[in-house]
Amino acid sequence: MRLDSSSFTFEGGNVGCLLIHGFRGSPQEMRGLGELLAEKGFTVVGVRLAGHGDNQEVSKTTWRDWVASAKEGLQELEGRCRRVFVVGLSVGGLIALYLAMQHHIEGTVIMSTPISLKSWQVHLISILKYLMPWLFCVVSIVELMRYVRENLSRVRVPVLVVQGVKDRHVPPGHAQYIHDHVGSKDKELVWFPNSGHAITLDGERELVWATVYDFIVSRGSA
């Protein structure tokens, strides 16, 4: 049975939460968290990034297309809410950081987010992209990583960085780097010892959701 990959919206109060899934993922990665936040009174939008979901036409898109999808969700919340928080998983976390640099938001949560690739990985991708078209998107992700990494000091809003210790895709050092280099003075780094990359779906998911909720409610009550 195929999971619904549609975007979702939950009506709530005047504090909004934009949820951004990861690369080659879908809004379902964020739905459980979204349902919890909605139960607590927040207005929630879980966007589907361009090229993602059932059709998986991701190879025809770039990071700018994904950011455009996230901006649509942000604008929807800005029209309904006084304050908006942005929560991103993996590459969705890169997009969340980008939005924090470009727009007025109240805070952001970054989960399982990569900030760089090793030089040999970039070189390998540059070769394999001709055999595997979707790898062109990975080249685009590298561009987004570079931009975000070079501009982390511009992130001035409260930041929560969440990382699973058992993440096989993103080394723990990436979370530490983001935490250490964002420009915000209000920042936290929380580790989950038994979680992997898909931290919103893994065994500690309910604790992850609660941690995200606590961060948001402490900086803008519903």
Side-chain angles (χ1 to χ4, degrees):
M1 178 177 174
R2 178 176 289 175
L3 290 175
D4 180 15
S5 63
S6 301
S7 58
F8 56 84
T9 299
F10 301 130
E11 299 288 347
N14 58 19
V15 177
C17 299
L18 177 66
L19 308 185
I20 310 172
H21 65 80
F23 178 61
R24 302 187 78 192
S26 80
Q28 285 299 314
E29 298 173 343
M30 309 298 281
R31 192 175 184 95
L33 171 59
E35 291 174 347
L36 171 71
L37 294 174
E39 290 174 1
K40 300 295 187 180
F42 295 100
T43 296
V44 180
V45 171
V47 295
R48 181 172 70 174
L49 301 178
H52 293 69
D54 292 338
N55 295 327
Q56 284 294 347
E57 295 185 341
V58 68
S59 62
K60 301 177 183 178
T61 62
T62 71
W63 69 267
R64 291 174 179 82
D65 299 308
W66 312 332
V67 166
S69 300
K71 283 183 178 179
E72 289 181 6
L74 180 59
Q75 289 168 356
E76 180 180 347
L77 284 170
E78 288 174 337
R80 301 181 184 193
C81 305
R82 289 192 298 106
R83 290 170 288 179
V84 178
F85 291 81
V86 181
V87 183
L89 174 68
S90 190
V91 170
L94 289 173
I95 297 171
L97 287 168
Y98 180 89
L99 292 179
M101 298 170 191
Q102 304 289 336
H103 297 268
H104 177 72
I105 62 174
E106 293 297 316
T108 187
V109 180
I110 312 302
M111 302 182 288
S112 308
T113 298
I115 199 63
S116 64
L117 290 181
K118 295 179 180 178
S119 59
W120 69 265
Q121 293 173 314
V122 175
H123 179 67
L124 181 61
I125 290 168
S126 69
I127 298 172
L128 293 179
K129 68 183 181 183
Y130 298 105
L131 302 175
M132 304 171 66
W134 66 267
L135 280 177
F136 274 103
C137 294
V138 179
V139 175
S140 186
I141 291 172
V142 172
E143 294 177 2
L144 178 57
M145 284 179 181
R146 183 181 301 114
Y147 180 89
V148 171
R149 186 171 63 252
E150 292 175 353
N151 291 278
L152 280 173
S153 62
R154 294 174 55 191
V155 179
R156 304 286 184 175
V157 298
V159 177
L160 170 64
V161 182
V162 175
Q163 180 68 37
V165 174
K166 295 184 177 180
D167 191 334
R168 296 182 179 179
H169 299 284
V170 178
H174 289 223
Q176 190 69 58
Y177 184 94
I178 293 171
H179 173 270
D180 292 348
H181 288 82
V182 291
S184 175
K185 294 182 179 179
D186 181 0
K187 54 188 178 182
E188 298 179 36
L189 174 56
V190 180
W191 303 95
F192 286 88
N194 298 310
S195 292
H197 188 62
I199 199 166
T200 55
L201 301 174
D202 215 334
E204 295 174 294
R205 61 187 177 276
E206 293 186 0
L207 183 56
V208 171
W209 302 343
T211 301
V212 174
Y213 166 74
D214 288 343
F215 172 81
I216 293 173
V217 77
S218 67
R219 288 152 180 88
S221 62

